[in-house]
Amino acid sequence: MSGRRHIGAAERRARLATGQRLAPGARASSAEEVAGSLVALHGTDPSTVYLAVGARLTDPAKTVADVERALYTDRSLVRMHGMRHTVFVFPADLTAVVHASTGLEVAARERASLVKQLEAGSEHDAAWLAEVEAGTLAALAARGEATAAQLAEDEPRLRTQLLYAPGKTYEAWQAVSTRVLRVLGMEGRVVRGRPRGSWTSSQFRWAVAPAHAELPVAEAKSELLRHWLGSCGPATEADLKWWTGWKVTDVRRALAAIGAVEVGLDEGTGFVLPDDVEPVTGGGEPWAALLPALDPSAMGWQQRDWYLAPELRAPLFDRAGNIGPTVWWDGRIAGGWAQGKDGEVRWRLLADVGREAAAAVEERAAALRGWLGAARVTPRFRTPLEKELAAG
């Protein structure tokens, strides 16, 4: 398209500073504001949600209490399956959009896989599964919240053993409860509730999912893309396909439905919302941030050269492509950090960004040490630099 506006890397970093709530003047007052600005907080690693919010609050000391209030008291944030078969934390008003746009198709495949395994490895079938699910949901409704083990007390068929990956080197017998609750979660019928133990625990209780409207799939896809571009645009078609996990045809239909505008990027053609074409200049004063493993700002785009130098990838990513804890300076990843067993937050710059940056990073590290207190966080997916720093 001739005459289209070009958005360079500097402007993209300025947009990130404000849109992702990282610049001092853009920080948020609540967990809901952070989640609304980022659309989704990666929830595979429980601590990531808290660390991502804490890095963006004006008062990080209230991080744990505020996230717990939003997740478990007000239920204004919901932990559920979303894009790419992955667990995220979403604003509650987006659950219907996420469910219809990404959950239904994945849930159908997951259910078919479970039924196939049941029929191949036991005398049970889809009808038996439906009975177990009904009993599980009834037990959960009566209890309010419950672990899988507690639900199995009320619905003993959840203890049924199923051979997982038969014939593979990693085959193992597994209680069917894990798969049943996973399917119910993907179908939007149950959600993860308060964990056992502290906020860093991954042993979650389950709860009946809050009611939500059933949206047309195409409408939901368009709405999800509109939210994400509004927070994270511009993005390329490849970025959007990667983030959503959709087919490229679905991405293109959704872009057309919301009237996305083409812009030029260093990587090629990108897209923004129609009301987001005007230039954005500067993110205010230079800023530092310590972001957790799998943070949305680090994992939001497939093409990352505009904020991550290629030579920094090896120490910051694991072999599966998961990023570890990162140190940011003024819109770029400049290093990494980790917490040792002694509670100390250790960081290292991998790029020469100057004394001002180092002082600002130490200030953010001190704030993080302060609100972590006695808590210890170790990323689920360990990366080379994180492991080195954690060891001291």
Side-chain angles (χ1 to χ4, degrees), residues 26-358:
R27 290 181 188 140
S29 61
S30 69
E32 290 92 340
E33 286 185 12
V34 174
S37 294
L38 298 174
V39 181
L41 300 170
H42 207 296
T44 302
D45 191 334
S47 64
T48 291
V49 176
Y50 292 80
L51 293 166
V53 170
R56 295 168 168 89
L57 289 180
T58 53
D59 180 11
K62 71 175 189 177
T63 297
V64 174
D66 201 55
V67 173
E68 290 186 339
R69 170 197 57 75
L71 279 171
Y72 310 126
T73 302
D74 296 348
R75 303 281 184 180
S76 50
L77 298 180
V78 177
R79 190 187 306 266
M80 60 184 284
H81 276 93
M83 300 72 65
R84 309 185 306 279
H85 300 223
T86 302
V87 175
F88 290 88
V89 168
F90 297 96
D93 59 7
L94 273 184
T95 56
V97 169
V98 174
H99 175 62
S101 65
T102 68
L104 290 176
E105 184 177 348
V106 173
R109 292 199 298 267
E110 188 74 13
R111 175 172 291 280
S113 173
L114 177 53
V115 170
K116 183 178 180 180
Q117 282 189 276
L118 282 170
E119 293 176 343
S122 72
E123 70 275 18
H124 305 306
D125 57 12
W128 178 88
L129 177 60
E131 291 178 5
V132 174
E133 289 173 334
T136 300
L137 291 170
L140 193 53
R143 285 181 177 266
E145 284 193 349
T147 64
Q150 290 170 329
L151 290 171
E153 296 174 5
D154 302 330
E155 176 48 86
R157 289 175 290 185
L158 287 172
R159 299 192 183 105
T160 301
Q161 295 292 303
L162 182 66
L163 184 61
Y164 174 75
K168 305 290 186 181
T169 57
Y170 50 88
E171 74 173 20
W173 289 95
Q174 184 183 70
V176 76
S177 59
T178 300
R179 296 290 302 280
V180 169
L181 288 166
R182 178 176 172 85
V183 168
L184 292 174
M186 287 184 169
E187 291 180 343
R189 295 199 276 172
V190 301
V191 295
R192 286 164 174 78
R194 189 182 295 273
R196 297 180 64 186
S198 76
W199 57 272
T200 62
S201 171
S202 59
Q203 296 182 346
F204 288 98
R205 297 177 177 87
W206 294 88
V208 175
H212 59 70
E214 294 296 333
L215 302 177
V217 172
E219 176 185 326
K221 287 181 183 295
S222 299
E223 187 66 7
L224 184 64
L225 213 61
R226 185 182 67 79
H227 275 273
W228 193 85
L229 272 183
S231 295
C232 305
T236 66
E237 192 176 86
D239 290 329
L240 296 169
K241 179 180 182 296
W242 178 83
W243 187 82
T244 59
W246 302 341
K247 299 174 183 176
V248 68
T249 51
D250 291 329
V251 171
R252 289 171 180 170
R253 289 191 192 102
L255 286 170
I258 62 177
V261 176
E262 286 190 7
V263 294
L265 302 176
D266 294 345
E267 300 87 348
T269 299
F271 297 90
V272 294
L273 293 180
D275 60 357
D276 193 29
V277 179
E278 294 304 312
V280 172
T281 57
E285 62 186 87
W287 53 272
L290 273 65
L291 300 186
L294 303 175
D295 187 87
S297 294
M299 293 289 287
W301 298 265
Q302 185 183 49
Q303 298 167 303
R304 301 167 180 149
D305 287 356
W306 57 278
Y307 63 87
L308 174 63
E311 61 269 21
L312 301 189
R313 293 176 185 248
L316 296 174
F317 285 80
D318 70 6
R319 292 181 180 179
N322 299 300
I323 197 167
T326 50
V327 171
W328 292 65
W329 174 244
D330 208 22
R332 293 184 178 92
I333 294 176
W337 66 274
Q339 185 187 34
K341 291 182 180 179
D342 58 359
E344 183 66 19
V345 174
R346 303 184 181 94
W347 53 271
R348 181 183 301 167
L349 294 174
L350 300 175
D352 183 7
V353 289
R355 293 182 179 179
E356 179 188 4

